[in-house]
Amino acid sequence: MITRFASPRFLALAGTVALWASAFPAIRVGVDGLGLAALSFLRLAIAAVALVAVAPFARVRPPKRSDLPLIALCGLTGMTAYQILLNWGEIHVEAGTASLLIAAAPVFSILLGSAFLAEPLTRNIVIGSTIALTGTAVVTLADGVSGFTAASLVVLAAAVVQGVYHCATKPLLRRYTGLEVATYAMVAGTVFALPLMPAAVRAMTQAPADALLSAAFLGLLPSALGFVIWGHAVARLPLAVSTAALYLVPPVALAVSFVWLGEVPHPVELLGGGVVVAGVTLINRRRRRPVPPQSPRYDLAPQPASRRLDRR
């Protein structure tokens, strides 16, 4: 068990969880100083420039023309739409709460993977996803039904498009590396976000230093590095297992938001986070295969005459 969780693919998942959890408080800082449009474009552009700069040294291959529509879908959903929706939602929703709403993304990934990629839905996956979503609902409604606002629905929409991205990248990762898929999607997402560039240029001249640093942090670490190591993990694990790890992002984001922004989680939110972890544990639990009963062994070798006489 220790060897399994120390493997590169599970370490990649752990790194992704840590990076994407830290993105939520960084978005809060960045959107306050830069605004929705500027932060969305700058994060994508910085990540795209970083990945393109590394591409020649990492021998990133150009994509095949037949894969361009799928790459465009990945860029539009997982990059452009996700950034805009999440940043928009965090204007009104706390960073920790937003991370808990985004935790619904793996459920959409699993359902889409089952429908389009023939990924199996086991009993543990269904029950574990239900438990994890229950934990997400507990956190969302920690302050009562009034805490579930229109901004919460915007964040949930971000979870839907992220689920589409996770499903759409799976076929690409069979033909390309995680770095290649992340580079293609990030460049495509930046192209779709080009209409936001004028607002980004205007905002940069007046933005405080902490907002600019947050945009750089988001572009280089959660976006560029995060999506690369995420692709490495998804390519080597079933979609249900890899996306289930994203349920661990909210508890980590709550801790980071407390340290960075001073957001104190509600006790009910902590309870919900524990339920989320329980659901992830169940999803990743492997059913033990029953050991087939051994048939009785008969000694068919000829026995000495003396033993045959003794048995009479």
Side-chain angles (χ1 to χ4, degrees):
M1 181 65 69
I2 295 177
T3 304
R4 177 190 174 197
F5 285 99
S7 64
R9 56 189 179 180
F10 280 96
L11 291 177
L13 281 180
T16 304
V17 168
L19 289 174
W20 287 358
S22 65
F24 290 94
I27 289 173
R28 189 76 176 184
V29 174
V31 78
D32 287 344
L34 287 164
L36 168 63
L39 179 63
S40 301
F41 178 79
L42 285 176
R43 178 176 178 178
L44 291 171
I46 291 171
V49 169
L51 291 173
V52 170
V54 173
F57 304 98
R59 298 180 180 180
V60 172
R61 300 164 293 172
K64 296 180 180 180
R65 183 174 299 179
S66 59
D67 291 326
L68 292 180
L70 194 55
I71 291 173
L73 176 63
C74 293
L76 180 61
T77 57
M79 303 304 171
T80 312
Y82 175 74
Q83 298 300 332
I84 294 173
L85 291 171
L86 179 58
N87 294 345
W88 185 8
E90 281 210 40
I91 295 176
H92 306 286
V93 177
E94 288 189 351
T97 304
S99 69
L100 291 157
L101 293 170
I102 291 295
V107 175
F108 301 113
S109 302
I110 293 170
L111 294 176
L112 290 170
S114 176
F116 296 102
L117 303 179
E119 297 246 350
L121 277 178
T122 65
R123 184 179 63 180
N124 283 355
I125 290 175
V126 173
I127 298 175
S129 297
T130 303
I131 293 174
L133 279 179
T134 301
T136 302
V138 169
V139 177
T140 305
L141 301 176
D143 294 329
V145 179
S146 59
F148 196 82
T149 61
S152 300
L153 294 178
V154 172
V155 179
L156 278 178
V160 173
V161 295
Q162 190 186 62
V164 174
Y165 172 82
H166 295 326
C167 182
T169 56
K170 189 69 175 181
L172 293 173
L173 290 167
R174 296 172 185 155
R175 300 185 288 275
Y176 304 99
T177 65
L179 175 60
E180 289 172 334
V181 172
T183 302
Y184 305 153
M186 200 67 68
V187 171
T190 304
V191 171
F192 284 117
L194 282 176
L196 304 178
M197 185 171 66
V201 174
R202 291 193 299 269
M204 288 177 62
T205 60
Q206 303 174 351
D210 60 345
L212 295 174
L213 289 175
S214 295
F217 168 81
L218 287 167
L220 294 175
L221 294 180
S223 290
L225 180 58
F227 277 98
V228 169
I229 61 178
W230 166 255
H232 174 85
V234 172
R236 291 159 177 80
L237 291 168
L239 190 62
V241 175
S242 56
T243 55
L246 300 183
Y247 286 124
L248 299 175
V249 170
V252 178
L254 286 173
V256 176
S257 299
F258 173 73
V259 175
W260 191 341
L261 304 178
E263 293 182 358
V264 180
H266 195 280
V268 178
E269 291 180 337
L270 298 179
L271 174 62
V275 175
V276 169
V277 174
V280 175
T281 303
L282 181 59
I283 291 174
N284 285 278
R285 183 180 179 185
R286 294 181 178 179
R287 295 180 62 183
R288 294 183 179 180
R289 295 180 178 179
V291 179
Q294 295 183 354
S295 57
R297 298 179 61 183
Y298 298 97
D299 189 1
L300 300 180
Q303 298 179 357
S306 60
R307 293 191 59 184
R308 292 199 298 268
L309 292 174
D310 292 343
R311 288 187 175 183
R312 293 180 182 177

